[in-house]
């Protein structure tokens, strides 16, 4: 990544910071609350802008297009929400203008996504009858 000019810091420092961020302990509730600003057009619960509305929209678009790795297209089609999965088994979904939901459950499928976690998010989206397409 450094050879392509994607960062200028020492590689060791970047890897150390990345690993520290990946090791943050958080519950599903913590993660869902942390993502509420994305569902609220960039504003937190006190209506303070964390991001501009356009930036929140861009983050959600990235989540939708690449948040579940190689399964992103299938996930966008079957669930219809911006989703980010993690290799620890966590799955976070943003329900625009409504809220955020998170699940956690290993094991992962061959594409690196929680099987039960994605199913749980799919069931929540279906029960709420909310997608970015409706």
């Amino acid at each position: 990544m450094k050879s392509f000019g994607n960062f200028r810091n020492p590689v060791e420092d970047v890897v150390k910071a990345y690993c520290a961020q990946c090791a943050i302990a958080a519950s599903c509730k913590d993660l869902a609350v942390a993502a509420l600003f994305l569902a609220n057009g960039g504003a937190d619960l006190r209506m303070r802008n964390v991001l501009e509305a356009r930036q929140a929209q861009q983050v959600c678009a990235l989540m939708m297009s690449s948040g579940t790795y190689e399964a992103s297209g299938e996930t966008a089609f079957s669930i219809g929400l911006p989703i980010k999965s993690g290799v620890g088994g966590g799955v976070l979904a943003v329900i625009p203008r409504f809220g955020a939901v998170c699940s956690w459950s290993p094991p992962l499928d061959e594409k690196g996504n929680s099987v039960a976690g994605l199913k749980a998010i799919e069931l929540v989206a279906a029960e709420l009858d909310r997608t970015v397409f409706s």
Side-chain angles (χ1 to χ4, degrees):
M1 287 173 43
K2 185 172 180 147
S3 67
F4 285 97
N6 291 319
F7 57 84
R8 294 180 183 86
N9 297 316
V11 173
E12 297 78 20
D13 292 347
V14 173
V15 171
K16 188 176 180 179
Y18 174 80
C19 290
Q21 290 175 4
C22 290
I24 294 172
S27 69
C28 286
K29 180 181 176 182
D30 294 336
L31 189 55
V33 168
L36 282 176
F37 75 97
L38 291 170
N40 199 28
D44 66 13
L45 294 175
R46 294 188 178 115
M47 298 310 293
R48 297 175 300 191
N49 279 352
V50 176
L51 294 177
E52 295 299 321
R54 178 74 175 140
Q55 293 170 316
Q57 188 179 50
Q58 290 168 333
V59 170
C60 287
L62 285 171
M63 289 172 68
M64 192 104 183
S65 64
S66 59
T68 55
Y69 315 108
E70 290 82 20
S72 295
E74 178 184 332
T75 303
F77 181 78
S78 64
I79 300 174
L81 294 173
I83 295 175
K84 178 60 186 113
S85 69
V87 295
V91 181
L92 170 69
V94 175
I95 307 166
R97 297 167 304 285
F98 185 80
V101 62
C102 182
S103 65
W104 177 81
S105 179
L108 307 181
D109 64 17
E110 67 282 350
K111 295 177 181 173
N113 300 298
S114 167
V115 176
L118 280 176
K119 187 63 175 178
I121 300 294
E122 181 180 4
L123 292 172
V124 168
E127 180 67 26
L128 293 172
D129 193 26
R130 289 183 178 258
T131 74
V132 297
F133 308 111
S134 58

